Amino acid sequence: MKSINNSSIVLNRHPQGKACVEDFRLVNQPVASLKPGEFLVENIWLSIDPYTRPRLNPNITYVEPIKLEHLIQGETVGRVIQSKSPKYQVGQLVFAFTGWQKYCVLNEHDFMVYVLPDTTLPESVFLGVAGTPGRAAYFGINKIAKPKPGETMVVSAATGAVGSVAGQLGKIAGCKVIGIAGTEEKCRYAVETLGFDSCLNYNCKGLAKALAQECPDGVDVYFENVGGRVSAIVARYLNQGARVPICGSAALYDEGQDVDGNTLSQFYSSLPNAPESRFFLVTEWFNEYIDSIEWLIKAVESGQLHYRETITQGLEQAPQAFIDLLESKHIGKQLVRV
């Protein structure tokens, strides 16, 4: 069989502050021949995620850092094009954690691989609204926030892949939902398409005053995605018994420090009226993945959940797509069509 040449993106150097294109490098090498139990996937979609940024730092400990010259990690959706496994057939679409590359040889015993369920939706949704971002919102809301009708919920990074779903789940639960985003366009999208009650631009002066006006009865749930200045402002308005699911701390990722969920947990725990807060990973509920995916798919198909994708063409453009994501130039889920 004709050999296949694989393209992949590796870490060229550790970023100093903000990541730049030169921190990455495109490499090419032949794909190894399949062994029994293995199958070859040609990636179609690559997920670009903010949690990759701290892994580019050499001194991080709460997750494994990516070493120099090693593949940048990431989730993908691809098609099986060769197989020596009875479990995976040529032509099947699969979700996998293959990284920033065109092709990947997988083993039938690999942990994070599954065949995509049937749906009329584009397969890209399994990296966004029905993928890890959607599940993060789903579990953060249902397992930690547990919103009640009539409560007030605030969501940071409100138009991102996670925040957009979290806010909509808050509305489904009967909450008043206020988003926080970085542009007027994003704020309009949150209100007009996602159904938020309002959305505040954190780049405008007077965020604290605007939040106080929108939340006259305080904040019962804060879905935390960013940390930093925004969190310090929201914290002023948290009610007694408030809940804060901590999904991310994007504002801190460029500092090069060992930033993990404890950084924000310690901040919230130090507040005089400390809310119930904790950092979480979607893998805590791995045994509920199937149920969560089914619910999210049905919610999108029925029109309960809306989503948007920002798509970049070509694997070689993945570094720029990643930088655009970190600079909040996207709306919804940032993807690369490989």
Side-chain angles (χ1 to χ4, degrees):
M1 185 174 292
K2 184 179 179 181
S3 62
I4 297 176
N5 196 47
N6 187 30
S7 298
S8 60
I9 306 288
V10 301
L11 182 61
N12 186 47
R13 66 186 186 189
H14 297 294
Q16 300 297 314
K18 291 186 177 182
C20 63
V21 171
E22 290 75 20
D23 296 326
F24 306 90
R25 188 162 61 87
L26 179 69
V27 299
N28 294 280
Q29 57 188 14
V31 174
S33 299
L34 296 183
K35 300 175 183 178
E38 292 183 337
F39 57 102
L40 178 63
V41 172
E42 180 178 11
N43 287 324
I44 303 170
W45 294 101
L46 167 64
S47 176
I48 304 295
D49 300 289
Y51 64 72
T52 302
R53 176 60 188 88
R55 296 194 63 192
L56 306 182
N57 297 332
N59 57 347
I60 195 167
T61 59
Y62 80 100
V63 291
E64 183 180 358
I66 297 173
K67 298 178 182 178
L68 293 177
E69 301 301 320
H70 282 224
L71 180 71
I72 305 300
Q73 298 298 306
E75 298 174 345
T76 55
V77 163
R79 189 178 302 278
V80 178
I81 60 171
Q82 295 179 19
S83 181
K84 288 191 176 181
S85 165
K87 290 180 61 178
Y88 293 93
Q89 310 301 316
V90 171
Q92 286 181 321
L93 290 170
V94 297
F95 167 95
F97 198 75
T98 70
W100 293 15
Q101 57 182 334
K102 175 70 171 176
Y103 299 96
C104 185
V105 175
L106 298 170
N107 188 283
E108 62 186 19
H109 299 298
D110 286 340
F111 178 60
M112 283 295 293
V113 183
Y114 60 82
V115 177
L116 300 188
D118 292 332
T119 177
T120 57
L121 301 173
E123 65 267 15
S124 57
V125 300
F126 293 98
L127 295 177
V129 65
T132 297
R135 289 194 294 271
Y138 178 88
F139 291 127
I141 292 294
N142 292 319
K143 301 294 186 179
I144 302 173
K146 299 177 182 178
K148 305 176 185 66
E151 290 189 321
T152 297
M153 176 188 295
V154 173
V155 181
S156 57
T159 60
V162 177
S164 59
V165 178
Q168 291 180 90
L169 292 178
K171 290 301 299 179
I172 291 172
C175 292
K176 176 182 180 182
V177 176
I178 292 85
I180 300 177
T183 68
E184 292 303 315
E185 178 190 5
K186 291 180 178 182
C187 289
R188 286 193 299 271
Y189 171 70
V191 174
E192 295 173 3
T193 301
L194 302 180
F196 288 32
D197 293 279
S198 64
C199 188
L200 307 176
N201 186 343
Y202 64 76
N203 286 313
C204 293
K205 293 182 179 180
L207 177 60
K209 182 178 179 180
L211 189 63
Q213 291 175 340
E214 293 292 343
C215 307
D217 299 320
V219 176
D220 302 297
V221 174
Y222 175 44
F223 199 99
E224 173 67 276
N225 286 310
V226 298
R229 166 179 164 267
V230 169
S231 298
I233 292 174
V234 176
R236 304 177 194 174
Y237 305 102
L238 293 173
N239 289 330
Q240 181 79 33
R243 290 84 68 201
V244 182
I246 302 172
C247 184
S249 51
L252 310 178
Y253 289 163
D254 287 335
E255 295 184 1
Q257 303 172 3
D258 190 9
V259 178
D260 64 9
N262 290 327
T263 305
L264 284 171
S265 292
Q266 291 167 2
F267 164 70
Y268 288 111
S269 297
S270 69
L271 297 175
N273 190 18
E276 176 187 338
S277 66
R278 80 172 181 89
F279 175 70
F280 71 95
L281 296 171
V282 293
T283 49
E284 296 177 41
W285 300 282
F286 182 75
N287 63 336
E288 298 182 44
Y289 269 25
I290 293 177
D291 290 341
S292 67
I293 293 171
E294 289 180 351
W295 191 93
L296 291 164
I297 286 293
K298 289 178 181 178
V300 176
E301 290 176 336
S302 68
Q304 276 189 298
L305 289 181
H306 301 276
Y307 73 97
R308 185 164 162 181
E309 298 171 335
T310 299
I311 298 172
T312 299
Q313 301 290 339
L315 176 67
E316 69 280 0
Q317 296 301 320
Q320 186 60 57
F322 179 63
I323 293 165
D324 290 346
L325 172 76
L326 297 177
E327 294 178 352
S328 298
K329 294 181 179 179
H330 69 300
I331 294 181
K333 178 61 188 174
Q334 179 79 59
L335 296 166
V336 168
R337 191 192 299 269
V338 179

